[in-house]
Amino acid sequence: MEYHVGKNGSDENCGSIDFPFLTIQHAADLARAGDSVIVHEGEYREQVNPKNGGKEFARILYRAFDGDRVVIKGSEKIDSWENTSGGVWKAVLPDSFFGDFNPFVEKLSGDWLERPNDYPLHLGNVYLNGKCFYEVPSLEQVKNPKPKSECKFWTWDEGRDRHIDDVDSTLFVWFTEHDEKSKSTVIYANFQNHNPNEELCEINVRKCCFFPEKTGVDYITVSGFEMAQAACQWAPPTAMQYGLLGTHWSKGWIIENNIIHDAKCSGISLGKEITTGHNDFSNGKLKPGYQYQMEAVFKARHIGWSKERIGGHIVRGNKIYDCGQNGIVGHLGCVFSQIYGNEIFNIATRYEFFGYEIAGIKLHAAIDVQIRNNYIHDCTLGTWLDWEAQGTRLSANVYDKNNRDLMIEVSHGPCLVDNNIFTSDYGLNNGAQGNAYIHNLWCGFIDKYPVIDRTTPYHLPHSTEILGTAFIYGDDDRWIGNIFVGKKKGDRFYTEVQDGKLGYGTSVYNGCPSDFAGYMERIESVEGDHQRYFQVKQPAYVDCNAYFNGAKNFDRENKCFVTDENPNVKIETENGQVFLEIDFPEDFIESDFARMNLLDCDSLPVPRLSEQRFDSPDGSKIVLDKDMLGESRKDSAALGPIQNLKAGHNRIRVW
């Protein structure tokens, strides 16, 4: 059955193309496996709650009609503003306007959420012509807003203030108060020299734009929509993870070719449901937060967390931007998914709030998740793979102008990071072990450290079955075929600790044995059952890398190319295309050091803890015989992510 929805329709109609329904929700109430919901041009202010799921070979398809711009908004227009003085206006809205969810009363809250101030924020937002305002704690600050140019509260990037590019936008502010006596919500906003009743003014009133209220609504395709302005709550891994668009503990969704923007917190959620825990740490603090998260993993297994029931989603071809917490988030529910061909940018860059769950892509338990061919830029953190990044592959992505490009934390591997471009000043935050970094371009420094104050799970290969838990001893990583570009002293992000835990290149692994035999020899020389594993560094398998402009190599690396020349790496965009510019000296291109043998998963030692090969989700062999552009490496591979670079200046389209 094919149901049509149009702004000229009625929910009393039959839903044909000539007699469409008026609301998407009415079609969603009727749609069954194999049906399609086709939505025509227009703006739909509703929260779509799909009631029914499809089947693997009989999906339910929701899509925009060919060529039509279809927008689903979590907001409503407000044109009843009263001017109080100057640019300050007031709107008084009865509680009945909001129904059972009022984001101007609901507080932003949850585990691991922090704020740059001492006042609580609300889930509400005010928008003028699509531009989002900033919340302030008093009417006085609405009347006299102060420009906000930087933020100093980013505790994980000490000494690096975060600058807000559009300072003038921070003068557009709002404040709210609830009048219990009249049962109304009052919103004050400073519109500067604009009249909100004559221009497009909106406030968000719905939690989501497209999100099933119940779990297990499987095999849905969502294609070709624009969705915006939802008041979704903070989404830590220990809580119900709402998103502007989300799958809610289901299987087999395809989310493709959508434009997702202006989520209060997360754009797309592939995440956790509520019965496995909901902010228990914030609510009670009986145990450490990570302990509640560990319990969530085991509780998920008890309710059927498995490949057969959960995950396996495809997220492709979407543009995701201007979200307060994440572009894509997911704990547990993201397993066995594919995320590719997306552009993700301006995530958590308003600096209104902070928490340790922020990134363009932030996944926990990304078991067998494949993240490839994405362009992730201008985010607080590009990608954060946290807990159980096992069987995960991050391949052929372009990262640029992020505060940090990549973070992998408390995971035991194998996670394969290959053929990527990382050009931001902070390249990798590595609090994990057992991973492989192959054929990448790194222009930022590496931060590496053990985590021995908590254990985290690892699994049977390609499964959610838990095999054990362990500390992160650090190291046990493979670095082969990468190009590192350092910075010279005096540069803004020069890192002076080149031989400690921070540095440009692989010198951060100095002191590690270079093979497993050397590791076992050291282990056997130390007394104690488990104490020895805290004292002896795990191996670092490092070879065939190139180091430019002050980047430093591992002191036991057998074959490497080192030069002080600067390749002047830049990412440029033109007409929606992304180009890499890089200069290579002729002595590098012509050198034997610039080539290496082809690698496959059998060439890489298995991680010591998980003992799982670097193979595909179906168990087949991975062969790194193609570069990030799909060009064949034939019998001899060039270092870095691109095979056919020449001496001198190169300008290559990479996305």
Side-chain angles (χ1 to χ4, degrees), residues 126-198:
V126 177
Y127 309 89
L128 180 67
N129 301 322
K131 177 179 286 189
C132 186
F133 283 32
Y134 286 79
E135 184 178 4
V136 291
S138 69
L139 178 57
E140 177 60 31
Q141 289 189 39
V142 173
K143 295 177 179 178
N144 299 289
K146 296 181 180 179
K148 181 179 180 182
S149 61
E150 65 181 30
C151 183
K152 297 177 180 293
F153 71 97
W154 297 92
T155 57
W156 64 359
D157 283 348
E158 293 178 11
R160 294 191 178 84
D161 297 339
R162 294 300 166 219
H163 296 274
I164 297 173
D165 294 331
D166 184 8
V167 175
D168 289 342
S169 69
T170 66
L171 297 174
F172 290 82
V173 296
W174 63 273
F175 165 72
T176 188
E177 56 187 6
H178 187 258
D179 188 332
E180 284 291 341
K181 185 175 181 180
S182 65
K183 299 296 181 184
S184 62
T185 297
V186 184
I187 304 171
Y188 297 91
N190 192 322
F191 291 94
Q192 300 297 314
N193 59 350
H194 298 267
N195 184 332
N197 296 325
E198 295 178 354

Side-chain angles (χ1 to χ4, degrees), residues 314-331:
I314 295 173
V315 182
R316 63 188 176 197
N318 302 285
K319 179 180 285 190
I320 309 168
Y321 61 95
D322 288 348
C323 299
Q325 180 187 350
N326 307 115
I328 301 173
V329 69
H331 181 208

Side-chain angles (χ1 to χ4, degrees), residues 519-564:
Y519 171 70
M520 290 306 299
E521 183 177 338
R522 294 188 191 184
I523 282 288
E524 290 169 0
S525 68
V526 178
E527 294 294 329
D529 176 15
H530 66 90
Q531 295 90 344
R532 63 179 67 176
Y533 297 98
F534 293 101
Q535 298 178 40
V536 177
K537 286 190 173 186
Q538 295 190 96
Y541 307 96
V542 181
D543 207 10
C544 298
N545 300 288
Y547 303 84
F548 289 83
N549 197 43
K552 294 187 177 182
N553 61 291
F554 177 52
D555 56 11
R556 299 187 177 203
E557 190 166 358
N558 290 323
K559 176 183 175 182
C560 61
F561 181 89
V562 182
T563 178
D564 280 337

Side-chain angles (χ1 to χ4, degrees), residues 152-431:
K152 297 177 180 293
F153 71 97
W154 297 92
T155 57
W156 64 359
D157 283 348
E158 293 178 11
R160 294 191 178 84
D161 297 339
R162 294 300 166 219
H163 296 274
I164 297 173
D165 294 331
D166 184 8
V167 175
D168 289 342
S169 69
T170 66
L171 297 174
F172 290 82
V173 296
W174 63 273
F175 165 72
T176 188
E177 56 187 6
H178 187 258
D179 188 332
E180 284 291 341
K181 185 175 181 180
S182 65
K183 299 296 181 184
S184 62
T185 297
V186 184
I187 304 171
Y188 297 91
N190 192 322
F191 291 94
Q192 300 297 314
N193 59 350
H194 298 267
N195 184 332
N197 296 325
E198 295 178 354
E199 301 181 48
L200 176 60
C201 181
E202 301 160 289
I203 64 170
N204 57 2
V205 299
R206 284 174 282 275
K207 190 178 299 183
C208 310
C209 291
F210 196 106
F211 196 95
E213 290 182 5
K214 65 180 183 180
T215 61
V217 183
D218 301 335
Y219 297 110
I220 284 179
T221 296
V222 183
S223 181
F225 296 96
E226 180 178 347
M227 301 189 193
Q229 298 176 348
C232 39
Q233 182 61 272
W234 178 254
T238 48
M240 171 71 190
Q241 291 187 310
Y242 286 104
L244 182 151
L245 164 61
T247 59
H248 196 190
W249 205 245
S250 300
K251 180 175 173 62
W253 282 42
I254 297 175
I255 300 170
E256 62 182 7
N257 304 324
N258 302 287
I259 299 173
I260 308 294
H261 62 95
D262 286 283
K264 182 70 178 190
C265 289
S266 297
I268 295 176
S269 171
L270 309 177
K272 199 183 82 62
E273 49 73 73
I274 199 167
T275 69
T276 49
H278 189 61
N279 294 315
D280 295 331
F281 173 64
S282 296
N283 293 332
K285 294 186 171 61
L286 180 65
K287 311 168 193 175
Y290 79 86
Q291 194 67 38
Y292 286 112
Q293 187 170 331
M294 181 79 81
E295 290 177 1
V297 176
F298 283 89
K299 287 178 180 178
R301 282 295 303 155
H302 291 319
I303 65 169
W305 178 47
S306 67
K307 182 183 292 188
E308 291 71 33
R309 294 189 56 190
I310 302 298
H313 307 298
I314 295 173
V315 182
R316 63 188 176 197
N318 302 285
K319 179 180 285 190
I320 309 168
Y321 61 95
D322 288 348
C323 299
Q325 180 187 350
N326 307 115
I328 301 173
V329 69
H331 181 208
L332 302 166
C334 64
V335 290
F336 313 111
S337 295
Q338 299 181 56
I339 300 171
Y340 60 92
N342 305 284
E343 182 181 7
I344 304 173
F345 59 100
N346 291 355
I347 304 300
T349 53
R350 286 167 53 81
Y351 306 128
E352 285 188 291
F353 54 88
F354 169 71
Y356 294 91
E357 305 301 334
I358 278 176
I361 300 175
K362 175 67 199 286
L363 303 179
H364 289 78
I367 296 171
D368 280 1
V369 174
Q370 310 292 288
I371 303 171
R372 65 181 187 275
N373 301 108
N374 301 286
Y375 176 35
I376 303 175
H377 61 97
D378 296 282
C379 297
T380 292
L381 173 55
T383 296
W384 187 351
L385 302 174
D386 199 352
W387 288 54
E388 302 147 281
Q390 185 168 333
T392 312
R393 186 176 182 185
L394 191 79
S395 182
N397 302 283
V398 179
Y399 291 82
D400 186 47
K401 298 185 182 70
N402 302 299
N403 294 352
R404 295 184 181 194
D405 278 338
L406 176 62
M407 183 173 184
I408 307 180
E409 188 181 18
V410 291
S411 294
H412 307 284
C415 177
L416 177 59
V417 179
D418 69 281
N419 291 300
N420 300 282
I421 294 174
F422 300 100
T423 63
S424 303
D425 293 309
Y426 197 148
L428 173 65
N429 190 202
N430 182 7

Side-chain angles (χ1 to χ4, degrees), residues 500-608:
K501 72 168 191 171
L502 297 176
Y504 296 94
T506 57
S507 62
V508 294
Y509 290 87
N510 288 352
C512 293
S514 59
D515 55 34
F516 190 73
Y519 171 70
M520 290 306 299
E521 183 177 338
R522 294 188 191 184
I523 282 288
E524 290 169 0
S525 68
V526 178
E527 294 294 329
D529 176 15
H530 66 90
Q531 295 90 344
R532 63 179 67 176
Y533 297 98
F534 293 101
Q535 298 178 40
V536 177
K537 286 190 173 186
Q538 295 190 96
Y541 307 96
V542 181
D543 207 10
C544 298
N545 300 288
Y547 303 84
F548 289 83
N549 197 43
K552 294 187 177 182
N553 61 291
F554 177 52
D555 56 11
R556 299 187 177 203
E557 190 166 358
N558 290 323
K559 176 183 175 182
C560 61
F561 181 89
V562 182
T563 178
D564 280 337
E565 292 199 43
N566 188 349
N568 301 309
V569 175
K570 286 195 303 183
I571 293 292
E572 299 285 348
T573 58
E574 183 179 316
N575 299 322
Q577 299 178 340
V578 182
F579 295 86
L580 170 69
E581 296 195 17
I582 187 168
D583 301 327
F584 272 147
E586 186 170 345
D587 61 341
F588 170 67
I589 293 295
E590 300 299 327
S591 169
D592 289 340
F593 292 104
R595 316 293 291 189
M596 56 178 279
N597 294 329
L598 287 179
L599 290 177
D600 58 38
C601 64
D602 293 334
S603 309
L604 302 173
V606 298
R608 186 177 68 84

Side-chain angles (χ1 to χ4, degrees), residues 94-108:
D95 286 353
S96 58
F97 174 82
F98 296 97
D100 60 1
F101 175 73
N102 185 342
F104 292 88
V105 172
E106 296 280 340
K107 302 290 178 57
L108 186 72

